[in-house]
Amino acid sequence: METVTTRTVEYPADGLTMVGHLALPAGTGRRPAVLIGPEGTGLNDFQRRRADALAELGYVALAFDLHGGRWFTDPQEMLERCLPLIADPERLRGIGHAALEVLRAQPRTDPGRIAAIGYGTGGAVVLELGRAAADLKAIGTVNALTTGRPGEAANIRCPVWAGVGSEDPIMPAAQRDAFTAELQDAGVDWRLTVYGGARHAFHHPPVDQSVVPGVAHHRRHARRAWHDVLALLAECLPVAAG
C-alpha cells in the first residue's frame, strides 16, 4: 500500500466554484488517473475515501464536485438541483469536462490514461463525457442508467460497465433495457451487472437524512460493486508494477 497525499482543488464549473478532492499516490512519476463522480447529494467523505483508496492502488484520483461545495441533506433540495442537471446534457458535460481538465493538468497524471467512474448523478456526468467523445479508457457507473441523445453513444471510445440494483425504482427494468439498447445499437463494449435485491443508492452507507422510498444501503452488494469497479480499472487501466 502506497503513501497517499491529498488536497482540495477549486475550479469553476456550472457557474459555481467547485471544490474537488485530489488524491496522489506515492512517488513522482506519471500514473494513470481516475475521475470520480459523486451521487446527487454531492461530494462527501465517502467519495473522498474512494479517491484515497484508488491513490493507494497507484492512481491519481480526483473526486469532483457537483454543487459548489454543497452537500444536500434534504432530498427535495437535492432533486431541485439534480433533476434540471440530468435533463441538460450540456450542463452535465460542462461539469465533467471542467473536472477532467483539472485531473489531466495534474503533473502526476498520464493524460493518455484516464478513466471515469460515477455514482447516480455523477455517473450521468461521466456517461455524458463518453457521449461527448472524451478520451477515456473506461467508464464505470453505479445507479446511473441514463440514456443520451440519439446517436451520441457512438462517440463512446471505451468499455462501459454499469451496476444497478434489481429493486431500484428509479432505474427499473425498462430503464435498464433502454440503456443497454442504446449502447448495443452504438456498438459500445458494454456490461451491466444487476445486484439482486438491491435498491437505489445501495452502494452508499446510510446517512442521517430523510428516508427516501426505494433507497437503501446493501452492505454485501456495495462491497461487490466496488470490487467490480476495481476489476474494470485493472482490465482497462492497469497500474504498472513499480
Side-chain angles (χ1 to χ4, degrees), residues 90-102:
E90 294 307 322
R91 287 182 70 191
L92 292 175
R93 293 177 186 188
I95 290 170
H97 278 300
L100 182 59
E101 290 310 308
V102 169

Side-chain angles (χ1 to χ4, degrees), residues 175-230:
Q175 183 67 17
R176 298 200 295 266
D177 290 345
F179 177 78
T180 58
E182 177 192 26
L183 299 187
Q184 181 66 21
D185 291 346
V188 176
D189 177 0
W190 65 271
R191 284 167 283 176
L192 175 69
T193 301
V194 180
Y195 299 96
R199 291 186 277 174
H200 194 68
F202 71 89
H203 66 278
H204 198 293
V207 294
D208 183 17
Q209 64 182 45
S210 301
V211 175
V212 179
V215 172
H217 179 57
H218 195 299
R219 186 185 303 274
R220 185 183 312 118
H221 284 324
R223 185 169 60 249
R224 288 170 173 166
W226 179 241
H227 290 164
D228 287 339
V229 166
L230 296 182

Side-chain angles (χ1 to χ4, degrees), residues 17-69:
T17 298
M18 299 301 187
V19 185
H21 176 81
L22 180 69
L24 300 171
T28 58
R30 289 186 182 269
R31 294 294 184 90
V34 183
L35 195 64
I36 305 169
E39 39 282 298
T41 48
L43 180 59
N44 65 3
D45 284 343
F46 173 68
Q47 297 297 3
R48 293 184 186 99
R49 287 193 295 269
R50 290 296 198 214
D52 297 350
L54 290 176
E56 288 172 356
L57 295 174
Y59 296 99
V60 177
L62 174 64
F64 66 82
D65 185 11
L66 291 171
H67 309 311

Side-chain angles (χ1 to χ4, degrees), residues 72-223:
F72 292 103
T73 57
D74 183 294
Q76 188 58 41
E77 280 192 292
M78 183 268 291
L79 291 173
E80 288 173 359
R81 164 70 180 164
C82 289
L83 290 180
L85 283 179
I86 293 172
D88 190 337
E90 294 307 322
R91 287 182 70 191
L92 292 175
R93 293 177 186 188
I95 290 170
H97 278 300
L100 182 59
E101 290 310 308
V102 169
L103 180 58
R104 185 175 282 126
Q106 294 302 316
R108 297 290 311 283
T109 295
D110 179 345
R113 300 187 68 212
I114 300 176
I117 63 175
Y119 298 79
T121 302
V125 170
V126 302
L127 284 166
E128 283 305 320
L129 282 177
R131 294 182 181 113
D135 182 13
L136 298 170
K137 299 306 180 187
I139 294 172
T141 72
V142 181
N143 299 319
L145 304 184
T146 57
T147 50
R149 292 181 291 209
E152 291 189 335
N155 295 325
I156 297 175
R157 305 176 181 179
C158 63
V160 173
W161 170 83
V164 66
S166 69
E167 307 309 303
D168 185 340
I170 300 172
M171 305 285 168
Q175 183 67 17
R176 298 200 295 266
D177 290 345
F179 177 78
T180 58
E182 177 192 26
L183 299 187
Q184 181 66 21
D185 291 346
V188 176
D189 177 0
W190 65 271
R191 284 167 283 176
L192 175 69
T193 301
V194 180
Y195 299 96
R199 291 186 277 174
H200 194 68
F202 71 89
H203 66 278
H204 198 293
V207 294
D208 183 17
Q209 64 182 45
S210 301
V211 175
V212 179
V215 172
H217 179 57
H218 195 299
R219 186 185 303 274
R220 185 183 312 118
H221 284 324
R223 185 169 60 249

